[in-house]
Amino acid sequence: MSDGIFIGGGGVGYKDAQQLLLKYGNRHGLIAGATGTGKTVTLQILAEGFSNAGVPVFLSDVKGDLSGLAKAGSPDGKLHEPFVNRNTTINFTTFVYENFPVTFWDLFGEQGHPIRTTVAEMGPLLLSRMLQLTDAQEGVINIAFRVSDEQGLPLLDLKDLQALLVWCGENADQLTLRYGNISSSSIGAIQRSLLVLENQGGDKLFGEPALDLSDIIRTDPDGRGRISILAADKLMSSPGLYATFLLWLLSELFEELPEVGNPDKPKLVFFFDEAHLLFDDAPKALVNKVEQVARLIRSKGVGVYFVTQNPADVPDDILGQLGNRVQHALRAFTARDQKNLERAAETYRINPRFDIEDAIKSVGTGEAVTSMLEAKGVPSVAEQTLIRPPSSQLGPLSALERAGVIATSPIAGKYETVLDRESAFEVLSKRANDAAQAAEQAEAAEEAAELAAKEAKADEKKRAELEREFKKARRYETKDYGRSTSRRSSRSDSLGESVTKLVIKELKGTTGRRIVRGLLGGLFKGR
């Protein structure tokens, strides 16, 4: 079956091979079913099949179980005998235990290589969705992105966006005239949302080095596609962050990959586990974007497989584009459950051998109602299928085994060291520092000017005082000129001494020295 992926056995006695044709692997798919019905195993065997066909895979590991893809299953395992029995039933004679080439990723950098993007690459729409902003607040985010582009303020990490929002608030009067209203309350609300995101560890998503898409679209030297596994057990505590990140990744693939038309096999297959998180309370604009990406990304050679509990979790416009389907058991305890079950059954081509609605309710663990695209892209009739056992380990790796896979990864060391080049935060900080220094210099100059003016006024006052003393002395000498020589001499000496002491005292001071310098300068200039 080199042209398809063996899924399991259907038909009478489960002997009819059910396969997903590789040439329709980019026509997207759905894996649905209640908790505990086998969705994770189905995801695992599909990832194995695509990898063996040379197709890279990206998937999120919500429970940690899928890390076992990196290790071969064992004949010593407790499930070996049930596996053998099932393989006999479905006539799977080529089954072997094997491991697969795996790259572990982790937004928090704990269980895999760090995976990042920049704020600018995330864009205002997805960022607003992540922060759950109102329309008014989203408008402010759009203004901030426009200012970033026009003023050359790169938005790489959260502190860049936080600094730019502060700047927008300080210059709101000017920006409002050009772009629209920027209220301090909106900026405050956005900053609070960013703080919450930062406290949740979301700041680790933003920065450099950003993810190089070629690192998730890799094949090994043996021709098998590498399986990129995103550790999502911790990330699921922030469902908005989880869903928005995966949607961003899909958008990047859509924007960056070239058109390939209808390839013989996909260029990449993307599994979106817990897909309902993408659509819960999502604004219409976001749902429209997902629909657009799902409709057009298949021409880029990318297949998207949504994994969720109920097909009703996926909007009808998107559900209609999912050609390959594996429907595990659904429970119908309420009227709403019954309605969802009926809707799920209606999406399959009728098989006269059984009632599809009854089959969806009754299939056991590891069993599903399947329908795959066949010739000319037409869905096959529904089949009740026993899913094949996985070749890799069923269950998670140990922490030591995971660390070994990470250490020997072909991208080991590429993303571990954070880069912090000059961006909006640094540019705006430098502007603020320069403005503060200029203000300090201006203040110092003003203080110096005030001091000089005070000193000049003091000089003028001292000069006037000396002139008054000299004039007073001369008037006294003229008035007393007719008196006796001895008496005049005595009084003149006394007056002269007083004036001399006063002049000497004044000349000893700073103001006096300046006056002397002025007088001497004038004398020398006169010569």
Side-chain angles (χ1 to χ4, degrees):
M1 296 182 191
S2 59
D3 61 343
I5 298 172
F6 179 66
I7 295 175
V12 178
Y14 301 110
K15 299 298 183 182
D16 295 339
Q18 303 300 306
Q19 63 174 332
L20 190 160
L21 296 177
L22 287 170
K23 65 180 180 180
Y24 298 128
N26 66 329
R27 297 291 186 90
H28 311 321
L30 174 72
I31 303 172
T35 301
T37 56
K39 296 192 303 295
T40 300
V41 174
T42 298
L43 195 164
Q44 186 168 344
I45 65 108
L46 285 177
E48 292 178 356
F50 279 117
S51 177
N52 275 333
V55 178
V57 173
F58 187 97
L59 58 86
S60 52
D61 189 6
V62 172
K63 295 179 290 187
D65 294 343
L66 292 169
S67 61
L69 280 159
K71 184 178 180 180
S74 171
D76 299 326
K78 63 181 181 180
L79 292 176
H80 174 67
E81 186 174 346
F83 283 2
V84 170
N85 293 336
R86 175 160 294 202
N87 288 332
T88 301
T89 300
I90 64 178
N91 200 27
F92 188 23
T93 59
T94 59
F95 175 82
V96 292
Y97 288 116
E98 61 180 327
N99 68 320
F100 292 83
V102 165
T103 302
F104 289 115
W105 300 91
D106 185 2
L107 186 147
F108 303 105
E110 298 170 356
Q111 301 183 72
H113 304 292
I115 187 167
R116 306 182 194 88
T117 182
T118 65
V119 172
E121 287 176 340
M122 178 67 71
L125 174 61
L126 292 181
L127 189 62
S128 298
R129 157 67 169 161
M130 181 185 294
L131 300 175
Q132 298 181 326
L133 302 183
T134 65
D135 291 344
Q137 293 158 7
E138 184 178 345
V140 173
I141 286 289
N142 276 280
I143 292 173
F145 272 74
R146 175 64 68 85
V147 171
S148 166
D149 292 337
E150 292 182 351
Q151 299 206 16
L153 300 170
L155 295 175
L156 304 182
D157 50 30
L158 282 192
K159 69 178 187 295
D160 289 328
L161 181 58
Q162 291 164 334
L164 183 56
L165 287 170
V166 170
W167 186 89
C168 288
E170 293 171 345
N171 296 272
D173 292 343
Q174 299 176 17
L175 296 175
T176 295
L177 293 175
R178 183 172 181 183
Y179 302 112
N181 187 48
I182 300 177
S183 68
S184 58
S185 59
S186 290
I187 290 179
I190 298 170
Q191 295 284 37
R192 286 193 299 274
S193 296
L194 290 173
L195 180 61
V196 171
L197 179 63
E198 192 172 7
N199 290 339
Q200 293 174 343
D203 57 318
K204 292 181 174 61
L205 170 61
F206 298 104
E208 292 185 316
L211 175 66
D212 182 349
L213 291 180
S214 65
D215 285 331
I216 64 170
I217 311 177
R218 282 177 170 260
T219 53
D220 264 22
D222 62 5
R224 293 187 299 172
R226 288 197 72 84
I227 302 174
S228 292
I229 300 179
L230 175 68
D233 48 348
K234 182 178 177 181
L235 185 57
M236 288 301 296
S237 62
S238 305
L241 178 60
Y242 167 78
T244 306
F245 168 73
L246 291 183
L247 181 54
W248 164 80
L249 185 54
L250 271 180
S251 300
E252 284 295 294
L253 291 167
F254 171 69
E255 292 175 5
E256 297 296 329
L257 294 180
E259 296 277 345
V260 294
N262 295 308
D264 293 333
K265 61 184 180 182
K267 189 170 184 178
L268 174 72
V269 169
F270 188 102
F271 289 92
F272 201 133
D273 202 358
E274 299 293 341
H276 68 93
L277 295 174
L278 180 59
F279 306 107
D280 287 350
D281 302 320
K284 182 63 175 175
L286 185 62
V287 175
N288 290 342
K289 184 175 179 64
V290 177
E291 180 188 351
Q292 178 191 37
V293 170
R295 185 175 66 254
L296 300 177
I297 201 171
R298 74 183 190 186
S299 65
K300 306 294 184 84
V302 177
V304 182
Y305 289 71
F306 294 96
V307 185
T308 189
Q309 291 196 16
N310 197 307
D313 296 333
V314 181
D316 289 341
D317 290 340
I318 298 172
L319 189 64
Q321 300 179 46
L322 310 182
N324 302 295
R325 300 192 182 187
V326 180
Q327 178 65 65
H328 290 274
L330 285 179
R331 312 306 180 201
F333 301 115
T334 67
R336 182 178 180 182
D337 291 340
Q338 182 62 40
K339 184 177 181 180
N340 288 335
L341 176 60
E342 293 171 359
R343 288 180 58 192
E346 290 171 354
T347 62
Y348 287 86
R349 282 181 62 189
I350 295 175
N351 189 325
R353 289 190 298 104
F354 61 90
D355 182 86
I356 295 175
E357 188 175 328
D358 288 341
I360 294 176
K361 285 193 296 185
S362 61
V363 289
T365 301
E367 190 175 3
V369 175
T370 63
S371 175
M372 304 294 157
L373 296 180
E374 50 186 17
K376 298 182 180 180
V378 176
S380 66
V381 296
E383 281 292 354
Q384 199 164 334
T385 303
L386 283 179
I387 304 298
R388 54 149 286 199
S391 297
S392 55
Q393 175 175 291
L394 190 60
L397 294 183
S398 68
L400 186 61
E401 289 170 330
R402 180 188 285 265
V405 174
I406 295 171
T408 57
S409 165
I411 60 167
K414 181 174 180 179
Y415 295 98
E416 275 65 21
T417 302
V418 178
L419 301 179
D420 191 14
R421 63 186 175 94
E422 184 177 84
S423 49
F425 175 80
E426 287 77 16
V427 173
L428 292 173
S429 295
K430 185 176 184 301
R431 287 185 187 177
N433 290 335
D434 291 346
Q437 290 179 2
E440 289 177 359
Q441 292 173 356
E443 185 177 356
E446 185 177 352
E447 290 178 353
E450 290 177 356
L451 181 60
K454 289 179 180 179
E455 291 179 345
K457 187 174 182 180
D459 289 349
E460 196 62 35
K461 183 177 180 181
K462 294 295 182 183
R463 189 188 300 274
E465 193 175 323
L466 287 174
E467 288 179 355
R468 285 197 299 271
E469 292 295 337
F470 278 116
K471 289 178 180 179
K472 181 178 178 181
R474 293 190 65 182
R475 285 197 303 271
Y476 185 83
E477 287 180 357
T478 303
K479 183 177 178 180
D480 201 45
Y481 183 73
R483 299 183 180 176
S484 63
T485 302
S486 59
R487 185 177 178 186
R488 182 175 64 247
S489 176
S490 174
R491 288 184 179 179
S492 296
D493 290 344
S494 176
L495 179 60
E497 287 177 4
S498 298
V499 172
T500 300
K501 287 180 180 179
L502 176 61
V503 172
I504 290 173
K505 178 181 178 182
E506 294 299 333
L507 292 180
K508 283 182 178 180
T510 302
T511 303
R513 288 196 294 271
R514 256 196 312 271
I515 294 172
V516 170
R517 285 198 299 270
L519 291 173
L520 291 177
L523 290 173
F524 283 112
K525 282 183 180 179
R527 293 186 179 182

